[in-house]
């Protein structure tokens, strides 16, 4: 293929009399000048006009309070530790955990929206976030709400399994939260029910598997594969490391 | 005038030319006329007011007598001329910002009357900046040289006549005097660079001065050529000669291009802006100037640009006459002159947009080796035309 | 007391010499001929083009030793932007390093994340799907265009031509709009993932990007006509900053700076990664070795990038909407060492990773092209005039993020 520019300008000297000493730039500038006088220049008169941004523009993150289950995936994945879970009352008065974002630390990378299993964290086109004090930059769970969320603002994380890809079924895609499931090592379980308490999706049911020497029931967690969101909370909460996340590849 | 009937006893709008102290000989001078009438109003009102309180006093009579009217009219005349020139230069500054903006595909300044008041505000903000005094430098020289640069620039800007009836002095050697004062600036720049007691400023001052000296030579030759064509150095005569024959841009086209480029160099504009550019590495002579002094230096640059454009208009584009209705044009020849000046400035702005900076040694090369021979070639062409009897 | 007062203004060395009754000793780097001129101040002096400077290339210092008008030595001082990137990477899980890699060189963020993902995939032995490879190629070339346009804008300001700055920035906006369409952000895009890319190309992306390519090629000819096509520019570029081919290879300079001196090496063509071998493009190489050659190589690369984008988008469209674009990568990378390199906008960038079986890397080392290129400032600047220094350094295209990490 040809290299148009290089062939034309290669030896640095002007090849025709038309490229006089400084004529070409003046001609070019005059053309652009005429164009911008007749039509508008390319300036957008911010703040009187504003640019149109598509749906997926990564401004500040937003939270849909009622969709959020408090799983903490956003906290886990944030590369800047800008998100922490705080206790706050929900609409009925119960005490729930919801994320709080420190916009001063946020890098607007979109991981919280990408890894959120319920699509409660979304991206928004809001970028005007200036405040007078640093503490004003911390957005609590209610303040994170955004009224005009559309479908395009929810970031979907769909992955193809390596085994599927190698077998030739590359078209199959799964949501990230529906793939990995925790696996129990029964010998280590002490039936403390901590995993049951921390599961945000209520996917763990403690089922009885007989009685132990003292006559107490042996309870082992059983994980509902449909509702689990693979948030790793149970794996972290288990005091005996009896649960491991089984990665399906 | 001991008993008055009305204020009109004091204000009568006489014709200024019958005033025995009329300073301009027998040529009608429009701004003087305006100021004469202004003083009639102001002085007459004050005289009437004083006469109300003290009827028949001598202060009132003195205020409206011939000599005082002339005196105060001259003071107001100075103010009016200064204001007109100042506003004209500000308009060229505004024009630069808007045209530069549009050529760069953006809008220029937008605030305040389509951006004009922004330029005024920018000048005003330089008042509020810190005023630096070098400890070891020669302070008196430092202050005086910058005042003289600005002073001479303002002086020649005021001395350029805008039409037959708008002039300050009507010398027979008007063009030469303007050029002589214009050429004083390099010396002041040199001394100012020296007075800052700074190695880099001295080098910068030397460079700026040698560039300006180099570019004045072709300018002077071309001015001499133009007055050769017209037959005198009087600006009014040159304009009249161009109306009689043709605008001198046609026989002197090489001279026009040369003069135009030399004028951009003299005004320290891009592509010849040594003082602003080499300050990356060798600070220019403007280093130690801060606040209002720097603001005034910038204004002086624009004034010199305005003066060069005005000279181009006078010498090449026919001054304040329109091509075919010259003598009938007594509506507003001043506006025609100013519009032509601003058009030439527009060409300078387009040159600035398009071309980057030229290196120092290239600048001097151009001045001596290209422009001076071109101006001499121009002189030859004009001599041939003159001897050949066309002019 | 009086003795001290007399010698107060003389330097220590001279004072000692005078006290012993002789003339001051000649200092070693003086270009002197006799003792008389030795007393005059005609030293070679060091000028610091300090961390704040008018050419908008980032935060670094260049000290040049000047003899009158000629430069004899140059020392670049970098490190103002050191953020401890490599150390921070040891404390983060593999997916979390991707936004960090964006900020390594903020102008070419897609390339560095691409590089990092390639390193991890090499460690895992993972082969990325075809569609992901083509999307990565297109994203890289958009990034190359955007970065080269920023360089062109900086060239405009360095040479006094502010119009060029604004026109190049305007063109850059359109490519950043393409970035927004693809992943939502203009500069630090966070788009490639270990195992593919973050999301599929959106609706009508191919139509938009072809429009962008057409519009850009027309306007690039305008910008070139403005900057390139006049003697004020070429006289400053041609013949300045010449470096020989052997010296260039010995110093380790890569990228457009090396291709301007005749070294015919481009990783995309000679060591292809991610389907560059299936795309047809030319690599501009010039033999002159001066600044103008480096400039021309970069401009031609911009035109070639448009070609690559068109071919890449055609192939993506041919693969269809259902082709896989993201594989699920395992959380932990097995023990071992891996290496990957790419042709960054500025040269060859490479990463070396040591992993130890956990979900965090043990060591991640980045080789940045500008760090090596800028260390050659002495060779580039020796013998030129002071006024040429900005012009020559502009052709190196500094981006401080990757230099200092």
């Amino acid at each position: 293929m040809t290299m148009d520019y290089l062939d034309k300008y290669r030896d640095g000297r002007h090849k025709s009399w038309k490229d006089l000493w400084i004529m070409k730039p003046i001609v070019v500038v005059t053309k652009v000048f005429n164009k911008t006088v007749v039509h508008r220049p390319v300036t957008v008169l911010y703040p009187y006009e504003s640019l149109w941004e598509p749906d997926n523009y990564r401004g500040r993150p937003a939270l849909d309070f009622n969709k959020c289950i408090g799983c903490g995936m956003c906290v886990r994945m944030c590369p800047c530790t800008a998100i922490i879970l705080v206790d706050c009352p929900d609409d009925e008065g119960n005490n729930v955990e919801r994320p709080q974002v420190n916009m001063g630390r946020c890098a607007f990378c979109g991981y919280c929206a990408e890894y959120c299993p319920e699509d409660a964290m979304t991206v928004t086109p809001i970028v005007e976030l200036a405040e007078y004090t640093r503490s004003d930059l911390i957005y609590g769970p209610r303040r994170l709400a955004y009224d005009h969320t559309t479908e395009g603002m929810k970031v979907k994380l769909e992955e193809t399994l390596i085994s599927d890809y190698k077998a030739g079924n590359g078209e199959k895609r799964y949501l990230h939260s529906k793939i990995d499931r925790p696996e129990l090592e029964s010998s280590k379980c002490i039936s403390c029910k901590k995993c049951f308490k921390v599961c945000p999706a209520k996917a763990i049911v403690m089922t009885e598997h007989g009685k132990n020497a003292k006559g107490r029931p042996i309870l082992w967690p059983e994980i509902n594969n449909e509702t689990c969101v693979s948030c790793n909370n149970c794996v972290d909460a288990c005091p005996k490391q009896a649960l491991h996340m089984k990665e399906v590849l | 005038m001991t008993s008055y009937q009305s204020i009109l006893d004091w204000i009568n709008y006489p014709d200024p030319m019958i005033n025995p102290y009329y300073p301009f000989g027998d040529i009608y001078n429009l701004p003087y006329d305006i100021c004469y009438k202004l003083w009639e109003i102001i002085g007459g009102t004050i005289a009437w007011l004083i006469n109300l309180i003290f009827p028949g006093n001598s202060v009132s009579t003195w205020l409206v007598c011939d000599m005082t009217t002339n005196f105060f009219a001259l003071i107001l005349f100075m103010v009016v001329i200064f204001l007109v020139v100042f506003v004209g230069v500000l308009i060229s500054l505004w024009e630069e910002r808007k045209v530069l903006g549009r050529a760069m595909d953006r809008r220029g300044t937008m605030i305040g009357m389509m951006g004009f008041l922004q330029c005024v505000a920018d000048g005003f903000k330089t008042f509020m900046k810190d005023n630096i005094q070098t400890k070891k430098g020669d302070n008196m020289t430092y202050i005086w040289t910058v005042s003289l640069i600005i002073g001479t620039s303002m002086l020649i800007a005021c001395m350029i006549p805008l039409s037959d009836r708008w002039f300050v002095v009507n010398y027979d050697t008007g063009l030469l005097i303007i050029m002589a004062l214009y050429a004083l600036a390099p010396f002041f720049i040199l001394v100012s660079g020296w007075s800052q007691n700074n190695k880099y400023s001295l080098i910068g001052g030397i460079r700026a001065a040698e560039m300006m000296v180099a570019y004045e030579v072709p300018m002077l030759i071309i001015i001499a050529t133009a007055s050769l064509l017209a037959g005198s150095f009087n600006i009014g005569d040159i304009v009249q000669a161009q109306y009689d024959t043709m605008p001198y841009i046609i026989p002197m086209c090489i001279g026009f291009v040369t003069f135009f480029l030399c004028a951009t160099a003299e005004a320290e504009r891009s592509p010849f802006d040594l003082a602003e550019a080499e300050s990356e590495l060798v600070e220019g002579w403007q280093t130690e100037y801060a606040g209002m002094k720097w603001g005034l230096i910038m204004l002086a640059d624009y004034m010199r640009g305005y003066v060069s454009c005005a000279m181009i208009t006078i010498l090449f584009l026919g001054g304040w006459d329109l091509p075919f209705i010259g003598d009938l044009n007594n509506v507003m020849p001043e506006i025609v002159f100013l519009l032509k000046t601003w058009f030439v400035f527009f060409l300078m702005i387009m040159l600035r947009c398009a071309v980057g900076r030229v290196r120092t040694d290239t600048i001097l090369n151009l001045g001596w080796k290209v422009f001076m021979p071109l101006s001499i070639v121009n002189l030859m062409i004009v001599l041939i035309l003159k001897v050949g009897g066309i002019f | 007391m009086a003795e001290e007062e007399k010698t107060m203004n003389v330097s220590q060395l001279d004072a000692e010499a005078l006290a012993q009754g002789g003339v001051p000793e000649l200092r070693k780097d003086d270009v002197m001929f006799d003792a008389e001129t030795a007393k005059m101040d005609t030293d070679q002096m060091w000028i610091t083009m300090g961390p704040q400077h008018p050419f908008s290339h980032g935060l670094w210092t260049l000290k040049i030793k000047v003899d009158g008008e000629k430069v004899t030595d140059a020392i670049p001082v970098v490190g103002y932007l050191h953020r401890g990137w490599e150390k921070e990477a040891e404390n983060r899980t593999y997916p979390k390093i991707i936004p960090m890699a964006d900020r390594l060189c903020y102008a070419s963020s897609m390339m560095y994340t691409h590089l990092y993902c390639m390193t991890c995939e090499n460690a895992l032995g993972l082969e990325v799907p075809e569609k992901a490879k083509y999307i990565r190629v297109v994203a890289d070339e958009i990034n190359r265009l955007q970065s080269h346009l920023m360089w062109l804008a900086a060239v405009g300001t360095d040479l006094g031509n502010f119009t060029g700055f604004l026109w190049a920035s305007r063109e850059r906006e359109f490519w950043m709009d393409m970035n927004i369409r693809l992943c939502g952000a203009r500069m630090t895009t966070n788009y490639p993932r270990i195992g593919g890319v973050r999301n599929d190309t959106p609706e009508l992306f191919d139509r938009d990007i072809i429009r962008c390519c057409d519009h850009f090629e027309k306007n690039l000819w305008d910008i070139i006509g403005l900057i390139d096509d006049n003697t004020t520019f070429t006289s400053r570029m041609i013949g300045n900053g010449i470096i020989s081919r052997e010296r260039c290879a010995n110093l380790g300079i890569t990228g457009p700076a090396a291709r301007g001196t005749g070294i015919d090496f481009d990783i995309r063509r000679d060591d292809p990664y991610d389907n560059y071998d299936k795309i047809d493009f030319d690599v501009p190489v010039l033999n002159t070795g001066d600044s103008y050659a480096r400039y021309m190589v970069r401009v031609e690369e911009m035109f070639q990038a448009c070609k690559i984008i068109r071919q890449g988008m055609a192939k993506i469209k041919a693969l269809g909407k259902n082709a896989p674009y993201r594989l699920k990568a395992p959380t932990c990378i097995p023990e071992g060492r891996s290496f990957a390199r790419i042709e960054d906008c500025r040269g060859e960038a490479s990463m070396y990773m040591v992993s130890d079986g956990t979900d965090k890397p043990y060591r991640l080392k980045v080789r940045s092209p500008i760090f090596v290129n800028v260390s050659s400032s002495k060779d580039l600047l020796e013998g030129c005039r002071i006024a040429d220094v900005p012009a020559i350094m502009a052709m190196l295209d500094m981006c401080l993020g990757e230099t200092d990490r």
Side-chain angles (χ1 to χ4, degrees):
Chain A
M1 287 185 148
T2 54
M3 296 206 261
D4 295 322
Y5 167 73
L6 216 55
D7 292 330
K8 191 172 171 198
Y9 282 76
R10 187 182 293 269
D11 58 2
R13 274 181 293 279
H14 305 301
K15 297 211 166 131
S16 80
W17 67 269
K18 280 184 269 188
D19 299 335
L20 292 180
W21 177 46
I22 49 170
M23 274 301 118
K24 185 81 180 295
I26 297 180
V27 164
V28 170
V29 167
T30 316
K31 266 197 319 194
V32 172
F33 179 75
N34 292 339
K35 188 174 78 104
T36 52
V37 164
V38 171
H39 308 286
R40 306 167 62 150
V42 82
T43 323
V44 170
L45 290 174
Y46 185 80
Y48 306 110
E49 309 168 0
S50 60
L51 282 170
W52 173 85
E53 302 291 356
D55 264 349
N56 62 343
Y57 188 72
R58 289 208 305 252
R60 76 158 174 89
L63 179 71
D64 187 339
F65 197 94
N66 298 324
K67 274 198 189 169
C68 176
I69 53 175
C71 66
M73 274 304 273
C74 47
V75 180
R76 222 176 270 277
M77 291 311 294
C78 178
C80 314
T81 59
I83 311 187
I84 51 175
L85 282 176
V86 294
D87 290 323
C88 63
D90 74 351
D91 292 336
E92 281 109 40
N94 309 330
N95 202 16
V96 291
E97 286 204 327
R98 291 287 182 263
Q100 163 194 291
V101 180
N102 181 353
M103 292 300 170
R105 281 201 189 176
C106 177
F108 302 93
C109 66
Y111 265 168
C112 47
E114 198 175 327
Y115 281 88
C116 179
E118 304 292 318
D119 280 335
M121 277 288 219
T122 57
V123 295
T124 54
I126 301 177
V127 289
E128 292 138 356
L129 299 167
E131 301 285 346
Y132 282 102
T133 57
R134 283 223 187 113
S135 43
D136 281 341
L137 279 176
I138 300 181
Y139 277 56
R142 293 286 180 190
R143 196 174 164 204
L144 275 175
Y146 180 65
D147 291 333
H148 312 285
T149 313
T150 63
E151 268 308 303
M153 292 186 194
K154 303 181 187 170
V155 183
K156 304 251 182 266
L157 214 196
E158 290 173 341
E159 289 172 324
T160 312
L161 296 178
I162 299 180
S163 49
D164 275 344
Y165 174 63
K166 289 209 170 110
N169 298 338
E171 283 83 30
K172 274 204 240 168
R173 291 179 194 167
Y174 302 93
L175 281 178
H176 176 82
S177 53
K178 300 286 175 219
I179 306 180
D180 297 336
R181 290 290 174 257
E183 201 179 45
L184 177 67
E185 215 175 318
S186 340
S187 51
K188 289 193 182 165
C189 179
I190 56 169
S191 312
C192 65
K193 294 199 274 192
K194 278 219 170 90
C195 50
F196 168 69
K197 286 179 201 151
V198 299
C199 177
K202 318 246 183 310
I204 293 190
V205 177
M206 303 301 284
T207 49
E208 201 170 312
H209 287 257
K211 291 207 190 300
N212 65 358
K214 296 203 183 112
R216 294 272 184 80
I218 301 178
L219 295 171
W220 287 345
E222 190 178 299
I223 298 169
N224 182 347
N225 279 346
E226 305 303 313
T227 44
C228 171
V229 293
S230 62
C231 64
N232 277 34
N233 277 4
C234 50
V235 175
D236 290 337
C238 179
K240 296 291 176 190
Q241 279 96 45
L243 283 164
H244 306 279
M245 195 56 92
K246 179 167 187 309
E247 280 188 35
V248 179
L249 286 173
Chain B
M1 303 187 194
T2 48
S3 65
Y4 71 98
Q5 297 300 321
S6 75
I7 189 174
L8 289 176
D9 282 344
W10 298 98
I11 304 175
N12 354 54
Y13 297 127
D15 184 5
M17 300 193 53
I18 58 173
N19 186 329
Y21 298 100
Y22 180 72
F24 294 107
D26 51 357
I27 311 175
Y28 173 68
N29 191 329
L30 178 64
Y32 183 80
D33 190 10
I34 296 174
C35 300
Y36 199 83
K37 296 185 160 76
L38 260 181
W39 177 253
E40 279 286 312
I41 299 174
I42 300 173
T45 320
I46 300 177
W48 171 72
L49 280 172
I50 300 180
N51 200 36
L52 277 183
I53 309 170
F54 307 104
N57 64 338
S58 52
V59 175
S60 306
T61 336
W62 173 79
L63 272 178
V64 289
C65 77
D66 278 342
M67 201 146 75
T68 13
T69 322
N70 179 44
F71 176 68
F72 282 109
L74 276 176
I75 293 185
L76 284 177
F77 176 75
M78 289 194 313
V79 173
V80 164
I81 294 277
F82 172 79
L83 274 180
V84 166
V85 167
F86 191 67
V87 171
V89 171
L90 274 183
I91 290 183
S92 54
L93 173 60
W94 169 79
E95 181 194 357
E96 160 148 49
R97 293 172 88 157
K98 293 297 263 187
V99 167
L100 210 62
R102 289 278 163 160
M104 295 177 183
D105 212 350
R106 60 185 171 96
R107 300 172 197 263
T109 54
M110 294 280 289
I111 308 292
M113 266 170 52
M114 301 255 295
F116 181 68
L117 293 180
Q118 172 88 41
C119 309
V120 177
D122 278 342
F124 190 66
K125 88 159 177 233
T126 54
F127 265 118
M128 315 227 228
K129 306 248 175 171
D130 285 341
N131 205 0
I132 294 184
Q133 282 187 335
T134 48
K135 204 166 179 187
K136 288 198 199 149
D138 192 341
N139 247 322
M140 269 293 127
T141 321
Y142 164 76
I143 295 175
W144 273 104
T145 45
V146 76
S147 325
L148 280 169
I149 294 173
I150 296 152
T152 47
S153 307
M154 195 69 218
L155 180 63
I156 47 180
C158 291
M159 274 179 72
I160 293 187
L162 296 184
S163 76
D164 269 334
R165 59 189 189 186
W166 189 296
F167 58 91
V168 176
V169 283
N170 200 2
Y171 284 149
D172 272 337
T173 51
L175 208 51
L176 263 188
I177 289 191
I178 292 180
M179 201 54 212
L181 288 172
Y182 194 75
L184 275 182
F187 302 105
F188 297 135
I189 291 177
L190 191 57
V191 177
S192 144
W194 166 85
S195 71
Q196 287 165 36
N197 196 24
N198 182 349
K199 183 164 34 177
Y200 298 126
S201 297
L202 181 58
I203 298 179
I206 293 178
R207 280 204 184 147
E210 71 186 353
M211 178 187 88
M212 292 174 111
V213 164
Y215 279 84
E216 263 157 18
V217 175
M219 279 174 94
L220 285 166
I221 297 180
I222 293 175
I223 286 183
T225 316
S227 36
L228 186 65
L229 267 183
S232 95
F233 276 110
N234 189 333
I235 295 180
D237 283 350
I238 297 181
V239 172
Q240 186 61 33
Q242 287 188 63
Y243 177 69
D244 289 335
T245 53
M246 65 180 81
Y248 285 162
I249 188 174
I250 299 171
M252 291 212 288
C253 39
I254 304 175
F256 174 70
V257 171
T258 316
F259 195 87
F260 180 73
L261 291 169
C262 294
T264 48
E266 285 288 319
E268 281 185 346
R269 294 178 62 80
S270 211
F272 303 106
D273 53 351
L274 279 182
E276 291 156 29
E278 296 304 303
S279 44
E280 298 167 4
L281 306 161
V282 174
E283 289 109 10
W285 61 277
Q286 295 170 11
T287 331
E288 305 283 349
Y289 289 113
M292 198 56 196
K293 296 201 193 81
W294 179 85
L296 285 175
I297 292 178
M298 284 291 121
L299 191 64
D301 265 348
Y302 277 101
M303 276 191 195
R304 291 164 70 76
Y306 167 80
V307 167
S308 336
C309 294
M311 283 205 281
I312 293 179
T313 321
I314 291 171
L315 294 176
F316 296 100
L317 294 181
W320 49 79
D321 284 328
L322 292 173
F324 297 106
I325 59 170
D327 266 351
L328 300 175
N329 182 24
N330 51 7
V331 176
M332 268 282 135
E334 293 89 12
I335 301 288
V336 171
F337 183 87
L338 284 175
L339 284 176
K340 283 190 191 176
T341 311
W342 290 329
F343 170 70
V344 176
F345 196 65
F346 169 77
L347 296 177
M348 280 193 187
I349 299 172
M350 292 307 261
L351 183 65
R352 173 187 175 171
C353 295
V355 185
R357 230 170 267 138
V358 190
R359 223 172 31 196
T360 325
D361 53 341
T362 326
I363 292 183
L364 292 174
N365 262 347
L366 276 177
W368 290 113
K369 293 193 198 161
V370 174
F371 288 140
M372 208 177 73
L374 276 182
S375 58
I376 295 188
V377 164
N378 186 44
L379 181 62
M380 295 291 139
I381 295 180
V382 162
L383 277 176
I384 293 173
L385 285 175
K386 192 98 180 168
V387 164
I390 300 182
F391 287 95
Chain C
M1 210 28 114
E3 196 62 46
E4 284 169 27
E5 277 176 287
K6 254 200 287 182
T7 55
M8 227 160 60
N9 290 334
V10 183
S11 76
Q12 190 63 20
L13 203 63
D14 294 358
E16 286 169 347
L18 278 176
Q20 290 169 6
V23 289
E25 213 183 37
L26 286 179
R27 292 178 212 120
K28 287 205 180 47
D29 37 349
D30 289 350
V31 182
M32 301 300 164
F33 303 105
D34 58 342
E36 274 304 308
T37 48
K39 288 200 209 109
M40 296 195 303
D41 189 20
T42 50
D43 269 354
Q44 300 188 347
M45 59 184 178
W46 284 97
I47 295 184
T48 308
M49 294 172 58
Q52 300 156 312
H53 39 162
F55 39 102
S56 44
H57 284 164
L59 197 64
W60 63 296
T61 309
L62 181 66
K63 296 191 183 167
I64 38 182
K65 193 172 187 191
V66 169
D67 179 15
E69 185 75 7
K70 292 221 171 285
V71 175
T72 47
D73 199 358
I75 299 182
V77 177
V78 295
Y80 291 85
L81 204 54
H82 180 71
R83 298 158 285 178
W85 193 90
E86 293 175 359
K87 181 67 188 170
E88 283 281 338
E90 293 173 12
N91 289 331
R92 296 213 185 325
T93 57
Y94 290 104
K96 285 198 200 179
I97 300 181
I98 298 179
M100 278 177 63
D102 265 339
R103 285 146 175 89
L104 256 186
C105 177
Y106 29 85
S108 49
S109 60
M110 285 276 203
M111 303 235 184
Y112 275 90
T113 36
H114 183 185
L115 171 66
Y116 169 71
C117 293
M118 273 197 338
T119 318
C120 293
E121 283 147 17
N122 285 350
L124 287 170
L126 196 57
E127 177 84 22
V128 173
E130 287 295 305
K131 188 172 190 189
K133 285 189 190 171
Y134 283 119
I135 296 181
R136 278 181 179 179
V137 163
V138 169
D140 267 4
E141 294 305 316
I142 296 178
N143 202 314
R144 193 180 306 272
L145 279 168
Q146 182 239 92
S147 170
H148 280 326
L149 279 168
M150 192 167 85
W151 160 81
L152 199 56
V155 166
T157 38
D158 277 348
L159 268 51
N161 198 343
F162 195 59
T163 316
F165 173 77
L166 287 175
W167 287 7
S169 301
R170 177 193 65 193
E171 296 312 314
R172 188 168 170 243
E173 289 294 317
F174 291 111
W175 291 111
M176 298 215 274
D177 279 349
M178 285 297 116
N179 266 351
I180 298 180
R181 290 275 288 135
L182 196 56
C183 60
R186 283 151 56 101
M187 276 185 81
T188 48
T189 45
N190 194 15
Y191 185 62
R193 296 277 181 270
I194 305 174
V197 289
R198 174 184 186 252
N199 55 277
D200 203 354
T201 54
E203 291 286 322
L204 293 175
F205 185 68
D206 48 345
R207 175 198 75 164
D208 287 338
I209 206 170
I210 301 292
R211 270 191 199 169
C212 207
C213 278
D214 293 333
H215 169 257
F216 171 69
E217 278 170 344
K218 264 200 311 237
N219 282 8
L220 187 59
W221 282 113
D222 269 348
I223 300 178
I224 290 172
L226 175 79
I227 295 184
D228 197 352
D229 223 333
N230 53 0
T231 31
T232 54
F233 180 76
T234 49
S235 64
R236 287 183 85 162
M237 292 282 142
I238 297 184
N240 285 332
I242 295 190
I243 189 170
S244 74
R245 206 170 143 209
E246 289 74 29
R247 190 98 189 103
C248 186
N250 280 338
L251 284 168
I253 300 180
T254 50
R259 288 197 279 279
T261 49
I263 301 178
D264 189 1
F265 185 70
D266 184 338
I267 300 178
R268 295 177 290 170
R269 182 194 56 192
D270 299 325
D271 186 11
Y273 52 96
D274 270 11
N275 277 358
Y276 267 108
D277 42 355
K278 302 205 179 82
I279 296 186
D280 188 12
F281 63 100
D282 287 318
V283 171
V285 177
L286 289 167
N287 282 325
T288 27
D290 56 7
S291 313
Y292 195 52
R294 285 176 228 132
Y295 167 88
M296 283 204 279
V297 165
R298 266 184 240 260
V299 173
E300 183 58 42
E301 274 186 6
M302 281 201 256
F303 283 105
Q304 297 297 319
C306 280
K307 258 202 266 184
I308 299 177
I309 290 178
R310 283 182 218 268
Q311 292 173 51
M313 282 316 295
K315 297 225 155 81
I316 293 176
K317 200 163 173 194
L319 284 173
K321 271 172 70 84
N322 292 327
Y325 58 86
R326 182 171 183 173
L327 292 179
K328 183 176 185 303
T331 331
C332 302
I333 293 188
E335 245 182 79
R337 292 149 190 254
S338 65
F339 176 78
R341 62 180 183 165
I342 57 163
E343 179 73 22
D344 181 41
C345 321
R346 293 163 180 81
E348 170 182 334
S350 48
M351 261 198 210
Y352 178 71
M353 183 165 79
V354 177
S355 48
D356 57 355
T358 60
D359 58 350
K360 301 189 170 78
Y362 180 72
R363 168 85 171 107
L364 192 55
K365 154 106 183 108
V366 179
R367 185 253 190 213
S368 119
I370 291 293
F371 189 72
V372 178
N373 288 6
V374 83
S375 59
S376 69
S377 337
K378 175 163 188 267
D379 292 86
L380 280 174
L381 292 176
E382 213 155 17
C384 77
R385 289 182 216 96
I386 298 189
D388 289 330
V389 169
I392 297 175
M393 295 314 285
M395 291 304 149
L396 276 189
D397 193 7
M398 305 274 302
C399 175
L400 260 300
E402 62 185 56
T403 318
D404 297 337
R405 270 154 285 167

